[in-house]
Amino acid sequence: MNFKLKLGINIDHVATIRNARGVLHPDPLKAALIAQNAGADNITAHLREDRRHISDIDIKKLVKTLRIPLNLEMAPTNEMLNIAISSKVKRVCLVPEKRKEITTEGGLDVLKNKKKIFNFVKKLKKNNIKVSIFTDPDIKQISVCSNLNVSSVEIHTGEFCDNKKNKRYEYEKLKKSAIFAKKNNLECHAGHGISYETVGRISEIKEISELNIGHFIIGEAIFVGLKKSILKMRKIIDNSRKKNFYLKSA
Ligand code: PXP
């Protein structure tokens, strides 16, 4: 089981602030380097079709400079396939994309697009790119993912984190999904909407091996700085993991 939970930092919203002025500051690469120095296990960036935050040049600079992996989030389109291959990223996470959404609203529907995604994954893997699929906490979707030759799924935690009602129900769905993914030989990641308040409970799910967190950490960085914001998240994760596994198995 994965006792140490990896933490990926999503830097999209550093680019959102930069792009609000159309200037070069703040630089997502600088944020990525601070995250790397603060112990982040990967940097996540979503190159959207409309380039509303991260740009093509950002991706090139991140790949060239970082020593930790870049996890490129992208929609399964030919344009993104070419960028992933030409920029030599080592891992991608396939996400759905709608032009008018504020953020990624749900997981990729692999039930509906099984053949298309299967062929898409094949092309990425041929180029030695590790593939993850962003999925709702839904056993049927994860079951299809397990037949798509991907190495991991990332479970959408948005409903659990944002929904004030049905917290227990949403948590059980996350837990069952993570157990199911692991049983089906998929690494299980999780992300979306995670904050200091919700990260502890999510970290208690031992089948989850990686969290990807962006908006809350970047927001909190405004008040305390990026390094402190990341270190505090790391501490809550480690404490929750320790309390639940190291002590129980001792
Ligand atoms: N994982 C995936 C696949 C995402 O699309 C996002 C949002 O871009 C995140 C994680 C991070 O979510 P948040 O910014 O809410 O922490």
Side-chain angles (χ1 to χ4, degrees):
M1 278 301 162
N2 310 291
F3 292 114
K4 169 105 166 85
L5 187 47
K6 288 186 180 164
L7 174 60
I9 304 298
N10 181 314
I11 52 162
D12 290 348
H13 296 306
V14 178
T16 304
I17 298 171
R18 174 193 63 189
N19 295 0
R21 279 293 173 93
V23 290
L24 299 176
H25 179 80
D27 184 358
L29 176 62
K30 184 172 176 182
L33 291 171
I34 292 170
Q36 178 174 272
N37 287 336
D41 296 289
N42 80 64
I43 298 298
T44 294
H46 185 175
L47 186 66
R48 281 185 170 266
E49 189 192 9
D50 62 9
R51 307 299 196 271
R52 69 173 74 157
H53 37 57
I54 291 295
S55 69
D56 302 54
I57 296 169
D58 291 328
I59 296 297
K60 282 197 185 121
K61 284 194 204 162
L62 289 164
V63 173
K64 202 171 141 208
T65 317
L66 290 173
R67 100 184 116 63
I68 52 175
L70 174 71
N71 173 31
L72 174 65
E73 284 179 14
M74 60 179 226
T77 64
N78 283 333
E79 183 200 12
M80 290 300 151
L81 177 70
N82 290 333
I83 292 171
I85 296 169
S86 64
S87 60
K88 297 194 164 57
V89 291
K90 298 272 187 328
R91 53 178 284 197
V92 306
C93 179
L94 299 180
V95 299
E97 225 174 84
K98 288 186 214 140
R99 274 265 167 136
K100 290 197 174 141
E101 68 189 358
I102 294 174
T103 180
T104 315
E105 286 166 352
L108 193 65
D109 190 346
V110 287
L111 269 172
K112 254 196 203 155
N113 303 293
K114 193 173 168 178
K115 197 153 180 230
K116 183 185 159 200
I117 306 290
F118 181 79
N119 289 327
F120 198 84
V121 170
K122 209 165 154 184
K123 288 179 197 158
L124 285 166
K125 289 195 61 173
K126 219 169 135 191
N127 286 277
N128 296 319
I129 299 172
K130 237 177 134 181
V131 188
S132 184
I133 289 184
F134 193 42
T135 174
D136 287 332
D138 175 338
I139 302 289
K140 279 192 198 147
Q141 293 283 348
I142 299 169
S143 174
V144 174
C145 289
S146 71
N147 291 314
L148 293 178
N149 256 331
V150 294
S151 48
S152 54
V153 285
E154 179 169 331
I155 297 177
H156 194 299
T157 49
E159 283 300 317
F160 169 71
C161 293
D162 301 335
N163 201 333
K164 293 277 172 262
K165 296 180 212 154
N166 306 325
K167 274 272 191 244
R168 188 179 292 183
Y169 171 73
E170 292 300 338
Y171 187 73
E172 284 310 310
K173 270 205 314 196
L174 289 183
K175 203 167 163 180
K176 280 186 190 148
S177 299
I179 292 169
F180 183 81
K182 207 63 194 127
K183 263 197 189 143
N184 284 276
N185 298 318
L186 290 164
E187 255 181 63
C188 183
H189 306 164
H192 212 282
I194 299 177
S195 64
Y196 293 152
E197 202 183 314
T198 50
V199 77
R201 288 287 281 142
I202 294 171
S203 304
E204 285 174 19
I205 304 174
K206 63 180 185 302
E207 286 77 13
I208 297 176
S209 58
E210 177 180 299
L211 299 179
N212 287 304
I213 310 180
H215 184 264
F216 183 86
I217 281 184
I218 303 301
E220 193 62 12
I222 294 169
F223 306 116
V224 300
L226 186 55
K227 186 176 175 188
K228 273 195 184 163
S229 161
I230 293 169
L231 291 179
K232 183 167 173 185
M233 189 64 85
R234 179 80 264 168
K235 197 169 175 187
I236 301 172
I237 293 170
D238 289 346
N239 284 344
S240 163
R241 218 58 173 182
K242 233 183 263 167
K243 194 172 79 199
N244 283 286
F245 310 123
Y246 297 124
L247 295 185
K248 272 184 198 164
S249 59

